[in-house]
Amino acid sequence: MYGAMKLQFVSIFLFFIVPPSFAQAPGLFDALRISGASQFADTIESDPVASALYLSPQVQTVFAPVDDTVAAYVKRQETPAQEQQAGYQASAASNYIANINRMPGAPITTKNTNANLGGKAQSVVSDSRTTSSSNSTRKGISLLRRQSLNATLPSLLNIFSGLGNNVSIIKADIPYDGGVIQIVDGYFTLPQTLSATTAATGHNTFTSLTNSSNLTAELDTTAGLTALIPTDAAFANANVSSTNPTTPSLMDGHIIPNFVGYLPALTNGLKLITQAGTTVTVTVQGNDFYLNNAKIIASNLILENGVAHVLDQVRRLFHFRDS
């Protein structure tokens, strides 16, 4: 009788220490198919390089695009891009949603090593702020994508990648025998250079002024920087011209070298030195972030060599001769 009671106690103890959902978790590809990511499972399983990566201990979190977002995307990709994309959808850390859904968000290091970040792998960044304070235009894209899938699942968390595009976690913390799966409503966007990013996102004045200042090649290839991109309207309001001899210094004042300032790294009171030698101070007010008097109106545009944020002002913050 004592032996039976002891066995029962041990069983109860193990139940709480090793929950059945994890002790009996399915393999990765079975878990993906059960969770509505069959097409992504097929894509990874059919690629020997990607399959070996995903089944190794190097991957403990998989950000799996839900079915109906995969076929058209994969069809457009060449083999090198497919391999980069496979790495970009995976992380070596156990990224449970509670770990990455903290204010204002969290950087998530991926297995995409095609990055100019001083030897570090590429990242995506979660954003836990309210819709009105985040990149609302791009959040609309995710909402439309979920509606197009005839899905009624709400967004649990937004994650930003290249070009500042975002996808949403719509099913969270699905266990498999090597880690956890987060089902997302699309692929992360592979990061591009700063010049390609500003051109693709319609920041034409910044693109033009970096070109006329002979800064494009430098900013596209310098490892580990943060770019601060005023809108075209902000440049127009500040009367910035390519013919002004101080414009190259002004543009340098929008670059923070040797610092990859994903939004969660911009803590209240932080002082940063720009490439022009000027100082900017971070102020956080609720869900809003300011660099001196300039508000970040779109954040976490992930670059090949860092990150960019879009600002609503230019002159008072960055003019080389301003105090």
Side-chain angles (χ1 to χ4, degrees), residues 209 212-213 238-251 315 319-321:
L209 291 175
S212 64
S213 300
N239 296 315
V240 178
S241 167
S242 61
T243 60
N244 190 317
T246 65
T247 295
S249 293
L250 182 146
M251 299 307 293
R315 183 179 296 277
H319 197 286
F320 188 66
R321 297 185 183 277

Side-chain angles (χ1 to χ4, degrees), residues 198-257:
T198 56
T201 54
H203 297 291
N204 300 315
T205 304
F206 188 95
T207 305
S208 175
L209 291 175
T210 52
N211 281 334
S212 64
S213 300
N214 297 316
L215 291 171
T216 300
E218 175 187 347
L219 298 181
D220 281 351
T221 57
T222 298
L225 59 76
T226 299
L228 308 173
I229 308 172
T231 63
D232 288 355
F235 276 117
N237 290 337
N239 296 315
V240 178
S241 167
S242 61
T243 60
N244 190 317
T246 65
T247 295
S249 293
L250 182 146
M251 299 307 293
D252 277 337
H254 291 77
I255 304 300
I256 302 170

Side-chain angles (χ1 to χ4, degrees), residues 8-23:
Q8 184 179 24
F9 173 79
V10 170
S11 298
I12 294 172
F13 177 78
L14 290 175
F15 177 86
F16 287 102
I17 296 300
V18 185
S21 60
F22 286 85

Side-chain angles (χ1 to χ4, degrees), residues 256 259 267-274 278-282 292:
I256 302 170
F259 176 72
T267 55
N268 192 49
L270 178 67
K271 295 184 182 298
L272 300 165
I273 306 299
T274 72
T278 52
T279 301
V280 294
T281 302
V282 177
N292 291 5

Side-chain angles (χ1 to χ4, degrees), residues 100-216:
I100 57 177
N101 193 19
R102 59 182 186 267
M103 292 294 293
I108 302 165
T109 304
T110 74
K111 297 301 294 182
N112 179 358
T113 57
N114 187 47
N116 184 13
L117 297 170
K120 297 180 181 178
Q122 193 55 263
S123 291
V124 293
V125 182
S126 67
D127 192 330
S128 303
R129 299 172 300 160
T130 60
T131 300
S132 61
S133 298
S134 203
N135 302 3
S136 58
T137 56
R138 287 185 288 273
K139 281 176 179 286
I141 295 172
S142 284
L143 177 59
L144 290 173
R145 188 185 297 120
R146 290 195 297 278
Q147 291 174 340
S148 71
L149 294 170
N150 297 316
T152 58
L153 295 171
S155 169
L156 303 177
L157 181 65
N158 293 289
I159 301 179
F160 287 80
S161 57
L163 304 182
N165 290 335
N166 74 25
V167 300
S168 298
I169 294 178
I170 55 176
K171 297 181 185 177
D173 295 351
I174 299 164
Y176 74 98
D177 61 5
V180 64
I181 298 167
Q182 308 292 0
I183 300 294
V184 292
D185 61 0
Y187 276 93
F188 298 145
T189 300
L190 290 173
Q192 300 181 33
T193 61
L194 176 59
S195 61
T197 296
T198 56
T201 54
H203 297 291
N204 300 315
T205 304
F206 188 95
T207 305
S208 175
L209 291 175
T210 52
N211 281 334
S212 64
S213 300
N214 297 316
L215 291 171
T216 300

